[in-house]
Every structure is written in C-alpha cells, then in structure tokens.
C-alpha cells in the first residue's frame, strides 16, 4: 500500500470516528432534503478522475450538512434500530478490508470459521435446540424467506410432494396461518415463495396484539393438509409476545410447522430476566431475527435458525458449478444455509460482538433497554395529556397525547424538528400514537430523562398555545 492509499483510508477513518464522537450532540433527524443532497452529491458523471480525498470529504459534508440520521445515537427512538458497538464497527471495517466472498470456505476460511463459531454461540445464547442450523442473510425479511422455504419443503414432503423436483404447480394445498399483527416482511417472504393471499389465514389477536391460541386451534381443525403457522415475539408497536409455547403445542398436534418472527424480540431469550416471557419458543421449527437490531452490529445482518437442518439445506441447495470445490467435512460452506452465493462476511461483526460482550454482556444490554422503556412509561404517565397505550413488556412503548390524533401528530413533528430526540408515528387500534423503541446500547438514563423533559416542554407549549 502506497502513501496515498494509506492517507485516504486514514482520512475516512478519522471522519468516521469524528462522526461517532459527535453522535450525542447531533441533531437526531436529518435536516437536508432530497434537492439539497442532489446538488451536493449529484451532477453529471465526471469525465476524468478526481482526487480521492475530495470524494471522501464530500461524504463528510453530506453528514455535516444534515444528510445523515443519527439513528445509532443515544436518543433515536423511532424505528427499531440498534446502535453499533465499537468492536462490531471495527470488525466490519476489517471485513471490508479483507473483502472475502464468504459463501464458500475456500474463499474465506477465517470468515467461514468465525461464522460457524458464532452460529454455535447464538444457538447456546438463545436456548435453541443444539442441532439447529443457522444462516446469516441480509436481514429478517430474507431470514423469513429462508425459514419458510425450509418449512414449505418439510410440510410438502410430509404430504408426499417433492417441492424441489416438482415445484408448486399441482402441489397439495398449503395453508399459512398468521397473526393479525404480523410484520409485513412475513407477507413479503410468502409472496416471494409463491403463496397468494387466498392461502393466508389470519388468526385474531388480543388487545395487546398477541395471537389467540383458541382461534388458532379452531382454524387448524377446520381443514386437513400441510400447514405453516407464523408466530411473533415482539410486536413492532407494542412489543407483545405471542404465547409461542401454546402455539407450538397446538400446531404440532396438527403436524404444522411453527415459524417465529423474532426480529428483535427473540433476543429476550438471551436475558435470564426476560427468558420466562418467551418460554416454549425453543419448541418451534424455525426462527428469524436481526443482529443489526438488538445485538447492535452494523447493517445488514439477519439471522435464520431452523430446527430441521435437512429441510433447511434442501430448500437452499446450491448446485455447485464445476469450478467450485466440493464440500469437505469440517469446512462449513455458508452458501448452504442462505439464498445468496456471493456474500459479504457479515458474520464477523456478530462473532466480534459475542466474543466481546459474552453471555452476561448481551443480557445486560437487552435488560438496560427494557429498563429504559419502563422508565419512559413511569415518567410519561405522570405528565398531563399523556396516555400509555400498551403494556411495555420489552422495549416498545406507545404514547398518545390528549387522546387526540392532531395533538399527537403535532407533538411528534415538533420533537422531530427540535433535534434532541426522534420518534415515529404509528396507528394502533385506529388511533394515532407515538412509538418509542429503545434498542441502542448507547442510550443511558440521562438520555431518557433529557428526552422526557423535551416532551414535557413541547407538550406544555402546544397545550397552552390557543
């Protein structure tokens, strides 16, 4: 590496570290619009090479001039977005420098080995069956697709149908049973797997958003044939947890596969304090979650777990080209567990985070976020014109102001514009609400207190002003 190459990498690293150091002081939301950023970053394709330093500096200006959301900062409570642990960022930088195509062991032995080790650690940490297979796709949407492909293979095979050889055309009818409050990525995965809305049967939810087991029992008993049940741990609005143990008992009596959407909520299993909330989850057949949420590693990193490795591998089977080496015992090839062939070694930051935090460090990070969510509830419910809409069992809180859609929207808009914190809008039970999601390791009690004071200030101003 020559001096110029070193200088440009050092310049980028310095810029990145300055950005991270400034996160607590940044205006949390973006302030630059599309037009401004197009002027800053756009224009015709340059005819000739430009100094690399100018390009890196332009990216720095995009952050400095409000084109970047401080979503990994301590007072971002909008979407379920984690921060990024320093060790995970560092491992991600090394991942980029190594530039391994981690699909096959031969192309990246260290990356493939770290993934194998991290997979075992995750199974242990989350209390899943020891024989569970693991994949590292881009995110929970692809984790759903992977797990549900394995489910499709398994339940159709039980019905005597070879999905991989004969396809879906003329296959036995397959029913998908989903909760009323499921996340849209479940539907996205099902559509990409060839299932239409006529095959999806919605199981009613209780007021907190949890699937009703009795209704599931009735729906499963209404017809025979292959079936897949999609349960949820961690509703994106309320954090509600389906009674997965009961769901597994019911579904398995009807020979149905149970898939669990645990995009963030599955991490409750890593906490001894919270684990009783997800009792029975280990009896499911597959699970999907995101490491870039509550494990606080960089995007993009999903995780898929399947309790039937043969079905998992059969659904993902990549026919190897002649130029690719055959699999060797003891050398795990990641392509066998995810849809992608060429893929970044996204498992390295996961390995780094788990090795650094250890079992107790992960549990403490999860528990702290939930404690901060409870602190929001305790402090906000004492303010006038505030109503908490959910039982904050995990890290999600729903708040409504003045029991009025207009006031709630005004509070959210002013909080976003103020830049001290950032919240998003949602609709729950037909009413507009502000959603609080505490997912970042950076959030401290002082950030919660400062945010509550900002809410108090905005609410006072809006309710006093005629």
């Amino acid at each position: 590496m020559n001096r110029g190459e070193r200088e440009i990498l050092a310049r980028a690293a310095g810029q990145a570290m300055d950005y991270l150091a400034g996160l607590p002081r940044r205006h949390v939301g973006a302030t630059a619009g599309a037009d401004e950023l197009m002027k800053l970053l756009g224009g015709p394709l340059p005819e000739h090479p430009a100094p690399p330093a100018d390009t890196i500096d332009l990216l720095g200006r995009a952050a400095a001039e409000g084109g970047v959301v401080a979503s990994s900062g301590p007072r971002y409570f909008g979407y379920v977005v984690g921060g990024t642990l320093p060790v995970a960022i560092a491992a991600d930088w090394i991942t980029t420098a190594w530039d391994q195509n981690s699909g096959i062991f031969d192309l990246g032995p260290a990356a493939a080995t770290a993934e194998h080790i991290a997979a075992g650690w995750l199974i242990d940490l989350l209390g899943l069956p020891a024989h569970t297979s693991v994949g590292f796709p881009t995110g929970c949407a692809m984790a759903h697709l992977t797990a549900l492909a394995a489910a499709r293979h398994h339940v159709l095979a039980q019905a005597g149908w070879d999905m991989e050889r004969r396809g879906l055309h003329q296959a036995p009818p397959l029913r998908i049973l989903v909760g009323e409050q499921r996340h849209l990525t479940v539907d996205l995965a099902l559509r990409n797997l060839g299932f239409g809305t006529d095959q999806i049967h919605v199981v009613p939810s209780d007021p907190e958003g949890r699937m009703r087991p009795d209704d599931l029992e009735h729906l499963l008993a209404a017809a025979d044939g292959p079936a897949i049940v999609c349960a949820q741990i961690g509703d994106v609005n309320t954090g509600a947890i389906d009674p997965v143990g009961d769901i597994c008992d019911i579904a398995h009596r009807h020979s149905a596969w149970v898939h669990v959407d645990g995009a963030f909520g599955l991490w409750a299993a890593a906490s001894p304090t919270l684990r009783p909330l997800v009792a029975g989850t280990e009896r499911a057949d597959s699970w999907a979650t995101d490491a870039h949420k509550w494990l606080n590693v960089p995007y993009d990193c999903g995780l898929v777990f399947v309790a039937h490795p043969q079905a998992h591998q059969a659904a993902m089977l990549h026919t190897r080209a002649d130029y690719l080496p055959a699999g060797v015992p003891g050398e795990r090839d990641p392509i066998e567990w995810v849809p992608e062939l060429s893929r970044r070694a996204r498992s390295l930051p996961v390995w780094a985070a788990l090795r650094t935090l250890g079992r107790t460090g992960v549990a403490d990070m999860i528990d702290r976020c939930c404690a901060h969510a409870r602190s929001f509830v305790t402090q906000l419910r004492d303010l006038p014109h505030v109503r908490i809409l959910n039982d904050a069992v995990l890290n999600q809180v729903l708040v409504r102001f003045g029991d009025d859609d207009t006031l709630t929207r005004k509070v959210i808009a002013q909080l976003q514009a103020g830049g001290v914190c950032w919240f998003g809008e949602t609709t729950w039970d037909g009413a507009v609400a502000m959603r609080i999601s505490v997912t970042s390791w950076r959030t401290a009690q002082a950030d919660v207190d400062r945010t509550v004071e900002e809410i108090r200030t905005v609410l006072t101003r809006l309710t006093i002003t005629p």
Side-chain angles (χ1 to χ4, degrees):
M1 179 184 293
N2 62 37
R3 180 178 177 181
E5 292 167 339
R6 286 184 177 275
E7 287 178 351
I8 195 61
L9 292 174
R11 194 182 198 96
Q15 185 188 111
M17 287 187 284
D18 288 345
Y19 172 79
L20 292 170
L23 274 174
R25 302 182 300 277
R26 286 186 68 88
H27 190 289
V28 180
T31 56
D35 290 345
E36 297 167 78
L37 292 170
M38 283 296 294
K39 289 177 183 176
L40 177 64
L41 302 174
L45 175 67
E47 288 293 331
H48 305 290
D54 290 354
T55 301
I56 297 302
D57 289 347
L58 200 56
L59 290 175
R61 284 183 58 193
E65 296 178 20
V68 176
V69 178
S71 54
S72 55
R75 292 184 304 282
Y76 181 88
F77 305 110
Y79 302 102
V80 189
V81 176
T84 41
L85 293 159
V87 71
I89 296 173
D92 198 57
W93 288 354
I94 290 171
T95 298
T96 300
W98 283 4
D99 193 28
Q100 305 285 277
N101 181 344
S102 69
I104 295 175
F105 185 92
D106 274 11
L107 289 172
T113 302
E115 178 167 317
H116 195 177
I117 293 166
W121 288 348
L122 288 164
I123 291 168
D124 179 30
L125 181 67
L126 298 173
L128 302 180
H131 61 269
T132 299
S133 52
V134 185
F136 290 73
T138 54
C140 208
M142 288 303 295
H144 291 323
L145 188 146
T146 303
L148 292 170
R152 181 182 64 181
H153 168 91
H154 182 84
V155 298
L156 287 177
Q158 285 185 318
W161 187 264
D162 187 334
M163 167 63 208
E164 280 64 43
R165 184 171 65 87
R166 303 178 69 181
L168 276 176
H169 184 58
Q170 296 184 336
L174 199 162
R175 293 179 298 152
I176 315 291
L177 295 96
V178 300
E180 191 174 4
Q181 297 297 330
R182 69 197 179 279
H183 195 266
L184 61 89
T185 51
V186 172
D187 292 62
L188 175 66
L190 290 170
R191 177 170 295 186
N192 278 283
L193 288 169
F195 298 115
T197 54
D198 286 351
Q199 293 166 279
I200 299 175
H201 304 266
V202 178
V203 184
S205 298
D206 69 12
E208 285 291 318
R210 297 172 294 223
M211 183 186 290
R212 295 182 183 273
D214 289 349
D215 290 312
L216 173 65
E217 177 82 71
H218 294 149
L219 284 169
L220 281 171
D224 294 325
I228 299 169
V229 177
C230 296
Q232 181 173 243
I233 295 177
D235 179 87
V236 75
N237 282 309
T238 67
I241 298 168
D242 284 347
V244 181
D246 293 341
I247 289 169
C248 288
D249 291 341
I250 293 166
H252 290 160
R253 282 201 301 270
H254 293 273
S255 300
W257 177 292
V258 178
H259 171 64
V260 175
D261 175 4
F264 64 93
L266 185 60
W267 293 98
S271 161
T273 304
L274 299 172
R275 195 173 298 135
L277 297 176
V278 296
T281 299
E282 72 282 354
R283 300 204 299 274
D285 299 285
S286 61
W287 307 261
T289 190
D290 279 314
H292 57 231
K293 286 189 171 72
W294 231 346
L295 189 59
N296 280 242
V297 304
Y299 282 92
D300 51 9
C301 187
L303 299 167
V304 59
F305 304 90
V306 180
H308 307 270
Q310 186 175 2
H312 186 179
Q313 194 169 40
M316 293 294 105
L317 183 62
H318 290 273
T319 302
R320 300 214 179 197
D322 292 340
Y323 61 86
L324 294 177
V328 175
E331 297 181 359
R332 181 181 184 274
D333 289 326
I335 62 167
E336 295 183 354
W337 312 107
V338 291
E340 307 102 331
L341 179 58
S342 297
R343 56 193 293 277
R344 165 182 187 79
R346 61 178 66 93
S347 54
L348 279 178
V350 174
W351 172 88
L354 293 174
R355 188 186 185 280
T356 303
L357 291 173
R359 189 186 307 275
T360 59
V362 174
D364 178 65
M365 183 167 63
I366 302 303
D367 289 341
R368 277 188 288 112
C369 289
C370 294
H372 293 325
R374 292 192 298 271
S375 180
F376 269 118
V377 171
T378 301
Q379 295 190 59
L380 289 176
R381 69 184 173 195
D382 291 336
L383 298 182
H385 310 292
V386 171
R387 185 158 70 95
I388 306 297
L389 302 183
N390 68 307
D391 180 12
V393 293
L394 290 178
N395 61 333
Q396 305 292 113
V397 182
L398 288 181
V399 184
R400 184 165 164 81
F401 300 100
D403 205 18
D404 179 78
D405 287 358
T406 300
L407 179 60
T408 301
R409 287 194 171 107
K410 285 182 177 179
V411 172
I412 295 170
Q414 290 209 13
L415 290 171
Q416 290 178 350
V420 171
C421 50
W422 201 97
F423 300 96
E425 176 187 319
T426 190
T427 301
W428 182 253
D429 197 23
V432 173
M434 185 176 84
R435 186 166 67 117
I436 302 175
S437 178
V438 190
T439 319
S440 175
W441 71 275
R442 294 179 184 273
T443 301
Q445 185 59 45
D447 295 299
V448 176
D449 297 343
R450 183 180 176 189
T451 299
V452 170
E453 190 56 38
E454 182 72 4
I455 294 171
R456 183 198 309 272
T457 299
V458 168
L459 189 58
T460 300
R461 181 167 61 242
L462 285 172
T463 54
I464 290 176
T465 302

